[in-house]
C-alpha cells in the first residue's frame, strides 16, 4: 500500500507539471428534470458556460496535450463540477462514473437496447417474492490505495446515502427495509442489509420493487470505502487524494473553474482501458468548436455547441466521425391543475393539440429526434407502441374543445422560464406561445432566475413550464413515480394531479413482480394520465450527437444519452 501511495503522489506531481487544469463534467449531461431541454439531473439547470483562459488551446503553447501514443485524450465541458461526492449532488457524475464502481452496470447493445450486467457482483439471486437480493461480491477487488472492498462497504454506502444531512440520493436507498427508521433516527443501522462475510450479503426491501436492480447500476449507488470515507471526513469529494474509489481512474488533479484530470488506476480489477489519461477542460461553446477543429479535443459533445453549427459544419465536414445515441429522455410541458382553467381536462387536451411538435423538432433541433406521445421515452423498458400515434397537431379541434369548455375567447396564463435555459429552449417556448396564440390562448413567458424558478416549481404554484427528463435507470418507474407516485410528488412537480386512485396505482405498480402484469399496468397508467386526463403534454425525445477526433477509434456514449462519459468505453487508434 505504501508503495502505491508513492506512485499516486508521483502521478499527482507529474500531472501538475505537465497538464493544464482539467475540468469537471458538470451534469449538463441531461438533467433529470431540467428547465433546459438539453440537460440532465434532479431539477438543476446546467450552469451557464464558463470559459478557461486556455480554452481554445491544448496547452499554454497551443499544442495538444495528447499525442498518438500516450493514451491521453482531451475533452471539454461547459461548466465545472461542484463536488466529487455523489451523495451531495444529483448533477456531477463524471467522477463517480469513472473513479468508482457500482454493483451492476448498464450495457448499451448494438441494436440500441440495454441490459443490466454484473460489475462488482460475482453472482446474485432474487427471492420469488421480489424482496430479498442475495449478493456475492467479486473477490480481491481493492480501492485505488489498496484497501480491500467488502460487504461492509456496501452497507456503509447505503447507510451514508440515507443519513448524510445534505444527501441528494436518498431515493436510491429508500426502498430498503429499515430505511425509514434509519432516516428518522429511530434506528442506528440499516436493518435491510445483512453482512454475512467479506463477499456475501443480502439486501431486503420493505416491499417488492422491480426497478431496484436498475437502481444498483446507476452512478447514484457507487460503492464507497467505509474506512477511507470516514477517515477523509469533510475532505471526501473535495480533495482528489481523499476521494478514492475502485474504478478504472484516479482523480490526479482538480483546479476549480478550470477542470480536472483523470489517470488510469493501476490497481483496477477490470480490463485495462485504452485511455490512460483524460484532460477535461472547461470551455465556452465557441472555444470548444475552435479547439476540436484544431485537433485539440478528441471528442466533441454537439449538445454543448450551437445547433446551427452542428448542422452546417459537423454534419457535413465531419459526417463520418459523428457518433449518436438516442437519449432516453423526454421533453414535456406541465400544466398545473391547481391553476385555472387547467383544472378542466378539455382545456389541457386543447393545449396538447394546439402545439406543432414536429415543426419545433425540425426547426430547433434539425429533426434529430422523434415525437413522443406518452410519458416513457423510446428505449425505456415497457415502452408502449400502442400508446403512440394518437396525438395530432389539430388547431381547429383545439379551438372546438376550448369552446366546449367555455373558453371560446381564450384565456391568459404564464409559462415560467428559467433564465439560465439555453437558446434552443427559449426558442421552443416562443413557438409554443405562438401556437397557443393561434387558437386564442395568450401564454405570457415569464423569466426567473434558477433559484426562484426551482422554488416556485417545488411549491406547486408554477402555472406551466417546459422541461426535459432523462432516465437515471431504465425503468418506467423512474419517470412516472417521480411525477405521479405520491401527492407530494405531484406538488413538487407543479402538476397537482388530483386523481388519488391513479396516484395509488402508480405507487402500487412498483411492487408488481410479474413482468407481463407490470408492462400492462404501466401502459394503462400512461394512457390514463396522458390521453384521458391530459395531465402531461408530451413533446419529443432527442438524439445526442458527438464527433470523435482522428485519434479515437471507437466511442460508446452513455446508454441514456448523458453528456458524461464512461472513459473505459473509448478506444484509441
Amino acid at each position: 500500500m505504501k508503495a502505491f501511495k508513492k506512485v499516486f503522489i508521483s502521478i499527482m506531481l507529474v500531472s501538475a507539471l505537465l497538464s493544464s487544469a482539467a475540468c469537471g463534467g458538470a451534469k449538463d449531461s441531461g438533467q433529470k428534470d431540467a428547465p433546459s431541454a438539453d440537460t440532465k439531473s434532479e431539477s438543476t439547470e446546467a450552469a451557464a458556460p464558463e470559459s478557461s483562459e486556455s480554452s481554445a488551446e491544448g496547452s499554454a503553447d497551443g499544442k495538444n496535450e495528447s499525442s498518438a501514443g500516450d493514451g491521453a485524450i482531451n475533452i471539454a465541458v461547459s461548466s465545472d463540477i461542484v463536488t466529487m461526492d455523489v451523495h451531495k449532488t444529483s448533477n456531477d457524475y463524471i467522477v463517480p462514473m469513472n473513479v468508482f464502481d457500482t454493483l451492476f452496470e448498464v450495457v448499451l447493445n448494438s441494436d440500441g437496447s440495454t441490459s443490466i450486467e454484473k460489475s462488482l457482483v460475482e453472482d446474485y439471486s432474487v427471492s420469488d417474492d421480489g424482496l430479498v437480493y442475495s449478493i456475492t461480491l467479486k473477490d480481491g477487488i481493492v480501492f485505488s490505495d489498496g484497501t480491500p472492498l467488502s460487504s461492509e462497504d456496501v452497507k456503509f454506502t447505503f447507510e451514508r446515502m440515507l443519513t448524510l444531512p445534505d444527501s441528494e440520493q436518498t431515493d436510491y436507498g429508500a426502498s430498503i427495509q429499515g430505511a425509514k427508521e434509519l432516516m428518522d433516527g429511530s434506528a442506528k443501522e440499516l436493518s435491510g442489509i445483512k453482512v454475512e462475510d467479506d463477499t456475501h450479503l443480502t439486501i431486503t426491501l420493505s416491499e417488492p420493487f422491480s426497478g431496484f436492480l436498475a437502481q444498483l447500476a446507476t452512478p447514484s449507488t457507487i460503492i464507497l470505502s467505509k474506512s477511507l470515507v470516514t477517515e477523509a471526513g469533510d475532505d471526501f469529494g473535495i480533495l482528489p487524494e481523499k476521494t478514492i474509489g475502485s474504478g478504472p481512474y484516479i482523480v490526479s488533479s482538480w483546479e476549480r473553474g478550470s477542470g480536472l484530470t483523470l489517470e488510469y488506476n493501476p490497481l483496477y480489477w477490470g480490463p485495462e482501458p485504452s485511455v490512460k489519461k483524460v484532460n477535461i477542460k472547461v470551455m465556452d461553446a465557441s472555444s470548444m468548436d475552435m479547439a476540436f477543429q484544431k485537433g485539440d479535443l478528441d471528442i466533441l459533445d454537439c449538445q454543448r455547441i450551437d445547433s446551427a453549427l452542428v448542422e452546417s459544419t459537423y454534419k457535413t465536414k465531419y459526417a463520418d466521425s459523428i457518433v449518436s445515441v438516442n437519449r432516453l429522455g423526454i421533453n414535456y410541458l406541465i400544466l398545473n391543475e391547481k391553476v385555472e382553467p387547467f383544472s378542466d381536462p378539455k382545456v389541457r387536451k386543447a393545449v396538447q393539440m394546439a402545439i406543432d411538435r414536429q415543426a419545433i423538432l425540425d426547426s430547433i433541433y434539425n429533426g434529430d429526434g422523434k415525437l413522443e406521445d406518452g410519458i416513457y421515452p423510446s428505449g425505456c423498458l415497457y415502452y408502449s407502441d400502442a400508446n403512440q400515434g394518437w396525438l395530432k397537431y389539430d388547431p381547429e379541434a383545439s379551438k372546438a374543445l376550448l369552446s366546449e369548455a367555455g373558453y371560446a375567447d381564450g384565456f391568459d396564463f404564464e409559462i415560467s422560464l428559467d433564465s439560465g435555459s439555453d437558446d434552443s429552449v427559449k426558442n421552443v417556448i416562443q413557438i409554443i406561445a405562438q401556437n397557443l396564440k393561434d387558437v386564442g390562448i395568450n401564454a405570457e413567458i415569464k423569466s426567473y432566475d434558477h433559484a426562484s424558478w426551482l422554488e416556485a416549481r417545488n411549491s406547486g404554484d408554477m402555472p406551466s413550464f417546459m422541461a426535459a427528463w432523462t432516465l437515471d435507470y431504465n425503468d418506467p418507474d423512474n419517470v412516472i413515480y417521480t411525477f405521479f407516485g405520491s401527492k407530494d410528488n405531484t406538488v413538487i412537480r407543479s402538476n397537482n394531479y388530483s386523481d388519488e386512485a391513479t396516484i395509488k396505482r402508480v405507487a402500487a405498480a412498483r411492487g408488481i413482480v410479474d413482468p407481463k402484469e407490470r408492462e400492462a399496468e404501466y401502459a394503462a397508467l400512461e394512457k390514463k394520465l396522458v390521453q384521458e386526463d391530459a395531465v402531461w403534454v408530451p413533446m419529443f425525445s432527442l438524439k445526442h450527437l458527438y464527433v470523435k477526433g482522428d485519434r479515437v477509434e471507437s466511442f460508446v456514449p452513455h446508454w441514456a444519452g448523458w453528456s458524461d462519459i464512461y472513459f473505459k468505453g473509448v478506444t484509441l487508434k
Side-chain angles (χ1 to χ4, degrees):
M1 187 183 303
K2 289 180 180 178
F4 177 73
K5 285 184 177 178
K6 290 179 181 177
V7 171
F8 182 78
I9 291 170
S10 68
I11 290 174
M12 295 281 287
L13 291 173
V14 170
S15 182
L17 291 171
L18 298 183
S19 301
S20 68
C23 89
K27 187 171 278 311
D28 41 1
S29 26
Q31 300 177 325
K32 284 184 355 190
D33 184 22
S36 164
D38 292 332
T39 50
K40 168 167 186 20
S41 216
E42 182 61 298
S43 66
T44 55
E45 175 66 26
E50 300 177 46
S51 60
S52 168
E53 290 182 1
S54 59
S55 60
E57 305 293 334
S59 61
D61 60 5
K63 294 184 179 178
N64 193 329
E65 292 175 16
S66 308
S67 61
D70 64 3
I73 62 171
N74 297 319
I75 70 164
V77 296
S78 56
S79 57
D80 200 0
I81 62 172
V82 175
T83 178
M84 297 182 286
D85 184 348
V86 77
H87 291 165
K88 295 183 178 181
T89 181
S90 58
N91 195 48
D92 299 332
Y93 286 175
I94 202 163
V95 169
M97 286 167 56
N98 290 286
V99 174
F100 296 84
D101 289 310
T102 47
L103 295 174
F104 297 85
E105 65 179 339
V106 176
V107 175
L108 180 64
N109 301 316
S110 58
D111 62 358
S113 64
T114 61
S115 57
I116 298 175
E117 307 291 344
K118 294 175 289 187
S119 181
L120 292 174
V121 170
E122 179 68 33
D123 196 13
Y124 76 101
S125 62
V126 183
S127 61
D128 291 340
D129 60 7
L131 288 174
V132 182
Y133 291 69
S134 300
I135 293 173
T136 301
L137 300 176
K138 288 184 169 73
D139 195 20
I141 295 178
V142 298
F143 293 93
S144 61
D145 74 332
T147 301
L149 185 150
S150 73
S151 300
E152 284 288 352
D153 296 311
V154 177
K155 184 174 183 180
F156 166 79
T157 295
F158 283 95
E159 290 182 335
R160 182 180 188 267
M161 174 194 298
L162 292 167
T163 59
L164 197 68
D166 50 357
S167 176
E168 295 274 355
Q169 304 290 357
T170 54
D171 285 352
Y172 290 86
S175 59
I176 300 175
Q177 186 182 83
K180 180 178 179 297
E181 292 76 11
L182 184 65
M183 288 191 287
D184 67 21
S186 60
K188 293 186 177 180
E189 65 176 326
L190 187 56
S191 61
I193 298 185
K194 300 295 185 184
V195 173
E196 299 175 14
D197 57 37
D198 285 349
T199 58
H200 294 84
L201 70 149
T202 59
I203 302 178
T204 302
L205 306 185
S206 56
E207 58 186 22
F209 173 37
S210 297
F212 185 64
L213 200 67
Q215 286 189 332
L216 296 181
T218 70
S220 301
T221 58
I222 57 169
I223 303 304
L224 310 179
S225 165
K226 179 178 181 179
S227 61
L228 296 175
V229 172
T230 302
E231 179 185 349
D234 292 340
D235 289 334
F236 178 76
I238 300 299
L239 299 180
E241 65 271 22
K242 296 288 187 179
T243 307
I244 297 173
S246 62
Y249 296 95
I250 295 164
V251 183
S252 57
S253 68
W254 177 23
E255 184 175 334
R256 287 184 179 272
S258 270
L260 53 84
T261 298
L262 306 181
E263 307 216 18
Y264 172 58
N265 168 19
L267 296 186
Y268 179 52
W269 56 274
E272 183 173 338
S274 176
V275 172
K276 303 299 190 296
K277 181 178 179 180
V278 187
N279 301 305
I280 312 167
K281 306 167 180 297
V282 177
M283 297 184 182
D284 60 32
S286 176
S287 298
M288 288 184 198
D289 170 47
M290 289 189 293
F292 184 84
Q293 295 205 47
K294 286 178 59 180
D296 290 338
L297 292 179
D298 296 292
I299 296 174
L300 177 67
D301 182 351
C302 292
Q303 185 174 289
R304 302 186 191 276
I305 62 174
D306 184 77
S307 60
L309 185 62
V310 173
E311 192 71 13
S312 65
T313 300
Y314 289 97
K315 285 188 177 181
T316 55
K317 182 178 178 182
Y318 297 94
D320 294 339
S321 300
I322 287 181
V323 178
S324 70
V325 62
N326 292 322
R327 296 193 63 188
L328 262 69
I330 184 169
N331 293 265
Y332 60 91
L333 181 70
I334 286 290
L335 304 175
N336 192 336
E337 281 195 28
K338 194 172 74 171
V339 177
E340 294 297 338
F342 295 135
S343 60
D344 189 334
K346 289 182 179 179
V347 173
R348 300 195 299 268
K349 289 179 181 180
V351 172
Q352 285 181 332
M353 292 187 290
I355 300 172
D356 192 346
R357 301 175 299 155
Q358 188 65 54
I360 292 173
L361 183 61
D362 292 342
S363 62
I364 305 300
Y365 298 105
N366 303 312
D368 289 329
K370 68 183 293 286
L371 298 186
E372 301 284 2
D373 291 347
I375 293 176
Y376 324 123
S378 301
C380 180
L381 183 68
Y382 302 147
Y383 179 81
S384 172
D385 288 324
N387 285 343
Q388 301 299 311
W390 64 274
L391 180 55
K392 307 295 184 183
Y393 171 54
D394 193 339
E396 294 306 315
S398 176
K399 291 177 184 178
L401 273 178
L402 288 173
S403 181
E404 287 180 30
Y407 293 96
D409 295 329
F411 59 89
D412 299 339
F413 80 104
E414 175 191 309
I415 298 180
S416 302
L417 171 68
D418 187 311
S419 59
S421 298
D422 60 35
D423 289 342
S424 63
V425 176
K426 295 174 183 177
N427 292 336
V428 168
I429 293 177
Q430 290 283 356
I431 296 175
I432 289 174
Q434 183 58 56
N435 285 162
L436 294 176
K437 185 177 181 180
D438 291 342
V439 298
I441 301 173
N442 180 37
E444 178 190 1
I445 302 170
K446 189 171 181 179
S447 182
Y448 297 85
D449 64 80
H450 177 63
S452 299
W453 185 94
L454 195 59
E455 181 181 3
R457 194 211 65 177
N458 290 350
S459 71
D461 295 329
M462 186 172 283
S464 177
F465 67 92
M466 180 181 164
W469 182 271
T470 304
L471 271 66
D472 292 299
Y473 55 97
N474 194 354
D475 192 276
D477 173 81
N478 187 220
V479 192
I480 196 170
Y481 184 83
T482 301
F483 289 84
F484 308 109
S486 70
K487 194 62 182 175
D488 285 345
N489 286 4
T490 71
V491 171
I492 65 173
R493 302 293 163 188
S494 272
N495 62 68
N496 287 292
Y497 182 56
S498 57
D499 188 334
E500 293 187 7
T502 301
I503 291 172
K504 289 179 180 178
R505 281 177 62 190
V506 172
R510 311 186 99 203
I512 300 174
V513 176
D514 180 77
K516 289 185 178 179
E517 181 184 350
R518 198 164 182 254
E519 181 176 13
E521 176 66 347
Y522 276 120
L525 285 167
E526 181 180 52
K527 183 176 181 179
K528 166 69 173 170
L529 287 162
V530 187
Q531 298 183 41
E532 297 176 21
D533 294 344
V535 71
W536 174 278
V537 182
M539 296 290 288
F540 40 74
S541 57
L542 298 171
K543 285 185 177 293
H544 197 152
L545 306 181
Y546 303 83
V547 188
K548 59 180 183 175
D550 292 339
R551 298 190 320 107
V552 176
E553 178 69 36
S554 62
F555 163 51
V556 180
H558 185 274
W559 63 271
W562 299 1
S563 286
D564 289 336
I565 297 170
Y566 285 103
F567 296 111
K568 67 179 183 180
V570 179
T571 303
L572 300 181
K573 294 179 181 177

